[in-house]
Amino acid sequence: MQTISLPYGRGRVEAQIPDQRLAAVLRSGAQSYRPQADQDQLVRQALENPIGTPPLRELAKGKHQVVIISSDHTRPVPSKVILPQLVDEIRAGSPSAKITVLVATGFHRPTTEAELLDKYGETLYRHSGLRFVIHESGKKEDMVHLGTLPSGGELLINKLAAEADLLVGEGFIEPHFFAGFSGGRKSVLPGVCDQVTVLGNHCSKFIASPYARTGILDGNPIHRDMLYAAQQAKLAFICNVVIDADKRVIAAFAGHFDQAHRAGCAFVDQLSGVDAVPAPIVITTNGGYPLDQNLYQSVKGMTAAEATCAPGGVIIMVSACS
């Protein structure tokens, strides 16, 4: 008998599987990867060695209205690690800059204050001099038109992002079941776009494309629109991290929104791929909180299970859906 421990909400649940019934346990290489530095050092090293851009402190010189797009409560982005270092870099280049943290809810509900405190911590949220604004995709008055997407859809984004002197994004990179990978350009679309733009980008026609699949960027129509949106919004700099099962940073990539993101995607691609072991029953999770808060997000874990589930088999999704 083997005991399998599975992330579930903020805790774990266990499955007891008889040895003769267990075909395999498939794990991402992120769980066994050992970084060469701690979380803060990894982010600092990435910021000091940006890919495809000057350092953030150089980009910040002469800038007065700076906006940092930050992932919302549904994403396990370790903002307590990343955001203070982004702020330090910006203030090193422009000490008097007004910095707004635009919480990228995409098409999700607004983040609550309790969730903001949980994500950023008391000091960062209340005592850092930062202004926090929650993006609401249904508020037409908050949006401006920035052109037409390659797909033909209208690009409407939050005017705080569009009117910033300097636009910066934080995020994390993992395989994504129709965008190829998360992170990078996704800070803008869907992160801070109007609901019409988000729904147009996440449409069934695009998701049905053979290129809209896990790990695929080239030829992906969803990715193509996202890249265009980030370019039109003048997303100047990103800091994206890779995390392990404990939501700790194991790698960081900073710089140009596409070049740095591509470097991070290449790292994730070689780290997270495993060979399928087809089985009639597959048990999977969505990695626990905050990723398993609802059924919509839990579909991501289901698609991973689908790749190794035998035809006609059963997928058991262990997801808190709190």
Side-chain angles (χ1 to χ4, degrees):
M1 186 75 70
Q2 290 205 35
T3 300
I4 309 298
S5 179
L6 303 160
Y8 180 79
R10 293 184 185 272
R12 304 184 79 84
V13 296
E14 291 184 347
Q16 306 290 333
I17 311 293
D19 292 339
Q20 67 272 22
R21 301 289 303 278
L22 186 62
V25 178
L26 306 183
R27 292 188 178 93
S28 165
Q31 293 195 34
S32 58
Y33 182 82
R34 294 292 175 264
Q36 300 301 308
D38 66 24
Q39 297 188 95
D40 291 301
Q41 288 174 317
L42 289 170
V43 172
R44 190 176 307 114
Q45 289 168 7
L47 292 174
E48 290 173 351
N49 299 280
I51 300 168
T53 69
L56 182 55
R57 62 180 59 203
E58 294 295 323
L59 296 175
K61 287 181 178 178
K63 304 298 193 297
H64 304 290
Q65 300 293 335
V66 180
V67 172
I68 302 173
I69 303 175
S70 178
S71 298
D72 74 357
H73 58 283
T74 67
R75 301 293 188 266
V77 178
S79 297
K80 293 173 187 175
V81 177
I82 304 169
L83 195 56
Q85 297 201 50
L86 288 176
V87 171
D88 287 347
E89 280 289 300
I90 292 165
R91 287 180 173 158
S94 181
S96 62
K98 294 181 179 179
I99 303 175
T100 298
V101 178
L102 182 58
V103 181
T105 55
F107 197 56
H108 308 150
R109 65 159 173 82
T111 305
T112 67
E113 184 167 56
E115 288 166 338
L116 289 171
L117 283 166
D118 182 60
K119 180 175 177 60
Y120 299 106
E122 179 84 20
T123 300
L124 199 57
Y125 181 58
R126 297 198 192 280
H127 308 297
S128 62
L130 301 175
R131 174 192 180 206
F132 286 81
V133 177
I134 299 171
H135 170 74
E136 295 185 55
S137 65
K139 293 181 73 172
K140 296 291 184 186
E141 64 271 25
D142 287 352
M143 308 300 162
V144 294
H145 184 270
L146 280 190
T148 303
L149 295 165
S151 62
E154 189 176 14
L155 176 57
L156 295 164
I157 84 161
N158 193 297
K159 60 187 176 185
L160 283 175
E163 295 170 1
D165 293 338
L166 178 66
L167 187 62
V168 179
E170 65 145 24
F172 89 119
I173 302 172
E174 67 170 354
H176 189 284
F177 69 124
F178 60 72
F181 292 92
S182 66
R185 70 289 186 238
K186 279 183 101 258
S187 289
V188 174
L189 174 59
V192 294
C193 283
D194 180 87
Q195 60 185 5
V196 171
T197 302
V198 176
L199 290 174
N201 178 252
H202 286 36
C203 68
S204 59
K205 178 183 177 182
F206 283 1
I207 292 173
S209 166
Y211 297 101
R213 295 290 182 270
T214 302
I216 298 177
L217 295 177
D218 295 331
N220 187 327
I222 295 170
H223 171 67
R224 185 165 57 242
D225 271 6
M226 290 175 174
L227 274 182
Y228 178 85
Q231 185 175 22
Q232 289 298 103
K234 297 182 173 61
L235 181 59
F237 193 94
I238 66 167
C239 183
N240 280 189
V241 299
V242 182
I243 59 175
D244 63 15
D246 296 319
K247 317 297 191 296
R248 293 183 62 81
V249 178
I250 60 171
F253 301 86
H256 186 272
F257 73 85
D258 186 32
Q259 294 177 43
H261 181 246
R262 287 266 184 173
C265 291
F267 176 83
V268 170
D269 187 53
Q270 58 87 23
L271 190 70
S272 59
V274 295
D275 292 332
V277 180
I281 302 172
V282 180
I283 304 173
T284 189
T285 83
N286 221 52
Y289 186 88
L291 292 167
D292 71 346
Q293 292 182 72
N294 55 55
L295 189 63
Y296 179 80
Q297 296 299 332
S298 298
V299 170
K300 295 172 181 178
M302 296 179 200
T303 64
E306 181 187 26
T308 197
C309 189
V314 171
I315 293 171
I316 300 173
M317 164 51 75
V318 180
S319 183
C321 292
S322 56

